[in-house]
Amino acid sequence: MTYRRLPSLNALRAFEAAARHRSVTRAADELGVTPGAVSRQVRGLEQDLGLVLFSRGPAGLVPTEAGRVLQQSCGGALDRMEGGVAKAREAAKPVLLSVGAYAHFASRWLIPRWGRFRERHPGLEIALTTSADPLELLPGQFDAVIAVAEDRPRPGFWMHRLLPIEMVPVCAPSLLGPGRFRWEGLTLLHSRQRPRDWARWLAAQGVAGVDAEAGPSFESISLAVDAACEGLGVALAIQGLIGADLAAGRVVVPVPGVRRSSRSFVLMVEAARRQEPALCRFCDWLVEEAARDAAPAATS
């Protein structure tokens, strides 16, 4: 291994400033030290190198030939070091991505996985904005958008379907009585975000004799599912977003039957920016997480 035999950096800085200003006093002012400190650093550097670096003339300090050679090399090296330190500090700053996401997806899917993302990409921070209003999650307003949309190409955007919207009924286990499941006497729980879900699901399953409009209404799907967890009735949930509730036994699917929407949760970024390093890491992670969820269904 080769070791560099270099003098003190402080001594080189003091020498370079004194040579550039042709003055110990002005060098001291620039460096924020006393003139005596600059003089001591220069004398120490001369002793260390075994060279005379300055002579005194009528106009002040005059670098010797050795001093001029060292000044030329030293000035450029210090500039490059200063630039390198600035770049290193800039590279160490966290990269911030703005992400707009459908609120229900963010709370039930994205946030539970957030810890895995931060472990893998500690220098990448996400500024998350959530909404259930499609007009507040327009592509181009954020670095990346996770919205409810039809899975079809949009000019100028890269898109990837993260999760299909498949509606299933859920209720608390306490609502299930012995024997065959019966709709009679059960309360339907509605989401004002998706007011036609029950009518569409019942029609798709051929269930007759159930009033699809009856029952309390909640502001969001999340609240309707929370109400179902508390035993207040039966809600329609997005199948891919209730894994934790099912695993914990907070809800069960009382009767088979899935209605798949024509829309999905879709990741969108501007195509021209897809390969930007930070966006690339975020998008690749989302795609990987979605594939992890889809794997059991594909192999079952």
Side-chain angles (χ1 to χ4, degrees):
M1 181 180 294
T2 302
Y3 292 93
R4 292 183 173 89
R5 176 70 174 91
L6 295 173
S8 161
L9 179 59
N10 285 337
L12 289 172
R13 290 178 66 225
F15 160 75
E16 191 276 335
R20 180 162 33 87
H21 289 293
R22 300 294 197 266
S23 167
V24 168
T25 301
R26 288 198 293 273
D29 289 341
E30 176 184 310
L31 299 174
V33 297
T34 65
V38 173
S39 295
R40 285 193 295 274
Q41 291 286 359
V42 171
R43 284 197 301 271
L45 180 62
E46 289 179 321
Q47 292 172 1
D48 189 23
L49 298 178
L51 299 171
V52 176
L53 300 175
F54 289 110
S55 62
R56 286 196 173 273
L61 291 181
V62 178
T64 63
E65 182 61 27
R68 284 192 294 272
V69 171
L70 183 59
Q71 180 190 1
Q72 290 173 358
S73 301
C74 191
L78 290 172
D79 288 342
R80 288 192 296 274
M81 290 176 64
E82 184 177 13
V85 169
K87 289 180 180 179
R89 285 174 173 163
E90 187 65 27
K93 291 181 180 179
V95 178
L96 183 65
L97 286 181
S98 62
V99 176
Y102 189 79
H104 186 50
F105 182 90
S107 64
R108 300 268 173 165
W109 194 96
L110 182 58
I111 290 176
R113 291 164 169 77
W114 201 302
R116 289 204 290 266
F117 176 75
R118 297 188 72 178
E119 287 178 4
R120 182 178 299 186
H121 303 294
L124 184 54
E125 295 292 341
I126 303 299
L128 180 64
T129 298
T130 64
S131 177
D133 185 350
L135 294 179
E136 295 180 358
L137 297 176
L138 294 176
Q141 293 182 344
F142 302 90
D143 293 319
V145 164
I146 302 168
V148 174
E150 292 187 357
D151 188 11
R152 56 181 175 78
R154 291 193 183 188
F157 290 93
W158 176 87
M159 301 176 61
H160 183 84
R161 189 184 71 186
L162 297 176
L163 186 72
I165 296 179
E166 298 172 326
M167 308 305 295
V168 295
V170 295
C171 66
S174 59
L175 286 190
L176 293 182
R180 186 172 62 87
F181 175 80
R182 297 180 182 277
W183 290 101
E184 294 81 0
L186 289 178
T187 300
L188 301 187
L189 307 175
H190 301 267
S191 162
R192 289 195 289 276
Q193 292 174 350
R194 301 176 62 89
R196 298 295 299 158
D197 271 353
W198 269 118
R200 290 167 177 160
W201 189 89
L202 292 168
Q205 305 307 317
V207 177
V210 177
D211 186 352
E213 305 297 329
S217 179
F218 298 86
E219 182 182 9
S220 66
I221 301 175
S222 289
L223 290 177
V225 172
D226 289 342
C229 291
E230 296 300 323
L232 300 183
V234 184
L236 279 175
I238 298 173
Q239 186 168 243
L241 301 182
I242 56 170
D245 296 308
L246 291 171
R250 290 188 290 269
V251 294
V252 295
V253 177
V255 60
V258 175
R259 179 185 176 274
R260 185 164 187 166
S261 171
S262 62
R263 298 189 296 172
S264 305
F265 291 109
V266 176
L267 169 65
M268 290 183 280
V269 301
E270 294 180 62
R273 301 185 57 201
R274 173 62 176 91
Q275 296 305 318
E276 290 181 8
L279 263 180
C280 191
R281 294 198 298 270
F282 180 68
C283 292
D284 288 352
W285 175 79
L286 283 173
V287 170
E288 180 182 317
E289 287 291 324
R292 184 201 302 243
D293 283 0
T299 57
S300 60

